Amino acid sequence: MKVSQRTVRLALTEPLRISRSTMAAREAVWLSVEHDGLQGHGEAVTSVYYGLDVDTLGRLMHDRSPWLARFADPESALEELRGHGLAGTPPAVTAAVESALLDLVGKRAGVPLHTLLGAVGPPSAATARTVGITSPERAGAQAARLVRDGFSVLKVKAGSPDPADDLARVRAVRAAAPRARLLLDPNGAWRAHEAERLLHRCAALGVEAVEQPVAPGDPEALARLAARSPLPVIADEDAVGHEDARRLAGRVQGINVKLAKCGGVGAALRIAELVAGSGTELMLGCLTASTLGIAPAVHLADRARWTDLDGHLLLAHDPWTGIAGVDGTVRASRRPGLGVRPRDGGGVRP
């Protein structure tokens, strides 16, 4: 198999502020694997939180190329990846390698990824759309516009220095979108002694669930908070991989599974199997990425209670197309593999 990679910059339509940072752009590394005239593609994006800058990503992708090239076909490489993994490889890179292989295997078989995974038809789901930390007035205006566009689920970022600002933002969004489902995400910014009171206030405002209200690093404290919470608590930063999910299964109401965090589709399915019947449900989340990076998770959208796959919708220009979402619903394509294709050519063969 032939392997190539390309680095691109993904600019956001407007900067997105969360509790720990403000982001205006993100770099992505695209991995392409070719066999018998067909190509499969995967994407990994930079992340300060996970310690992956563009140089590190590029080097890691390059270092895995000889491993991929030694296989006679993508099916053999995927079997090896699923059986033994890629030792010492960050989950985001493993997920990108797996994505490229799944894309190519699906194209060779002439079926979409969800069919390979056993789904009867193409999954679709109402995706949350993120409203960043901003003034209540601006948040309300954004919410009203998003609802007009067709979004029925809104995720409000929280974590302002004064929690009263978070509550004011939620009130403004609720007033502008009275029938929308509301999620809240402080990204671990709330202080532990305030979190329980804030959760009760959020419940009174009609928030459906809250992600990672308190700082990660103490999953026992998160579980205790979830046991007292009047609304579902979804672990995110405290639930990176399979072992974290095992520790929290049945003790929090939800786990945010991001493929770049856990290591890809196979790892996500193992987490789903682990928590099944435990009382802990799945949220499918993402990093800001192109359609190429979001697509593998869309093929799992029928397995989650909450879907937050709007990373591609935050971009000023998405270089790929194929999963929709601008009307509030992401849809897996019926095309083979991931079902995505470069927009306007993009210099990459589908």
Side-chain angles (χ1 to χ4, degrees):
M1 294 191 297
K2 297 179 181 179
V3 184
S4 61
Q5 65 186 65
R6 177 182 175 188
T7 300
V8 299
R9 184 172 177 82
L10 304 174
L12 276 65
T13 301
E14 59 182 68
L16 175 66
R17 180 186 168 197
I18 65 173
S19 61
R20 59 176 176 255
S21 64
T22 299
M23 180 178 60
R26 186 167 242 155
E27 278 72 37
V29 178
W30 296 341
L31 178 73
S32 298
V33 181
E34 182 174 352
H35 183 68
D36 285 346
L38 294 173
Q39 281 192 334
H41 307 286
E43 177 180 271
V45 296
T46 55
S47 170
V48 173
Y49 185 79
Y50 292 113
L52 294 173
D53 58 33
V54 67
D55 291 335
T56 300
L57 273 182
R59 175 179 55 78
L60 289 168
M61 290 284 204
H62 181 269
D63 290 349
R64 273 61 188 174
S65 294
W67 180 87
L68 283 164
R70 70 183 176 87
F71 290 97
D73 54 61
E75 292 82 4
S76 300
L78 185 61
E79 183 179 359
E80 177 72 15
L81 179 67
R82 290 284 176 82
H84 299 93
L86 288 171
T89 302
V93 176
T94 299
V97 171
E98 183 200 46
S99 172
L101 292 172
L102 288 169
D103 190 27
L104 185 50
V105 168
K107 288 173 178 174
R108 279 165 55 82
V111 299
L113 173 56
H114 58 266
T115 299
L116 292 178
L117 300 177
V120 175
S124 65
T127 182
R129 183 65 157 78
T130 301
V131 176
I133 295 178
T134 187
S135 69
E137 296 76 17
R138 189 143 191 257
Q142 289 178 353
R145 185 184 72 250
L146 290 168
V147 168
R148 286 195 300 270
D149 289 343
F151 287 87
S152 59
V153 187
L154 302 176
K155 183 166 91 166
V156 183
K157 287 292 187 178
S160 300
D162 184 354
D165 293 338
D166 293 338
L167 297 175
R169 191 176 312 108
V170 173
R171 288 192 197 94
V173 170
R174 172 52 77 209
R179 289 182 293 277
R181 296 167 56 197
L182 297 188
L183 307 174
L184 195 67
D185 185 9
N187 288 107
W190 285 351
R191 289 182 285 272
H193 70 278
E194 294 180 320
E196 189 169 353
R197 175 182 64 84
L198 290 169
L199 287 171
H200 281 273
R201 298 288 296 276
C202 289
L205 291 170
V207 173
E208 179 177 320
V210 176
E211 288 182 64
Q212 195 68 42
V214 294
D218 189 351
E220 294 299 317
L222 184 68
R224 289 193 297 271
L225 180 64
R228 300 190 301 270
S229 175
L231 46 75
V233 170
I234 303 170
D236 184 0
E237 286 88 346
D238 264 328
V240 175
H242 191 274
E243 183 59 26
D244 296 326
R246 185 198 62 76
R247 185 181 300 114
L248 288 169
R251 306 181 67 204
V252 294
Q253 290 79 22
I255 286 178
N256 187 337
V257 174
K258 298 174 182 173
L259 303 192
K261 181 175 71 169
C262 70
V265 169
L269 291 174
R270 288 191 291 275
I271 291 174
E273 182 179 6
L274 171 70
V275 303
S278 71
T280 297
E281 297 185 88
L282 294 185
M283 178 181 200
L284 276 175
C286 65
L287 303 180
T288 303
S290 78
T291 282
L292 174 61
I294 304 297
V298 176
H299 287 271
L300 301 175
D302 56 347
R303 303 167 191 256
R305 175 177 173 181
W306 301 280
T307 300
D308 179 26
L309 298 176
D310 69 336
H312 62 305
L313 303 176
L314 305 180
L315 302 181
H317 174 71
D318 185 351
W320 297 79
T321 184
I323 59 173
V326 293
D327 61 352
T329 301
V330 289
R331 304 171 182 87
S333 172
R334 294 180 182 273
R335 294 164 59 95
L338 296 179
V340 304
R341 56 195 182 277
R343 191 185 300 273
D344 303 323
V348 178
R349 286 196 289 116

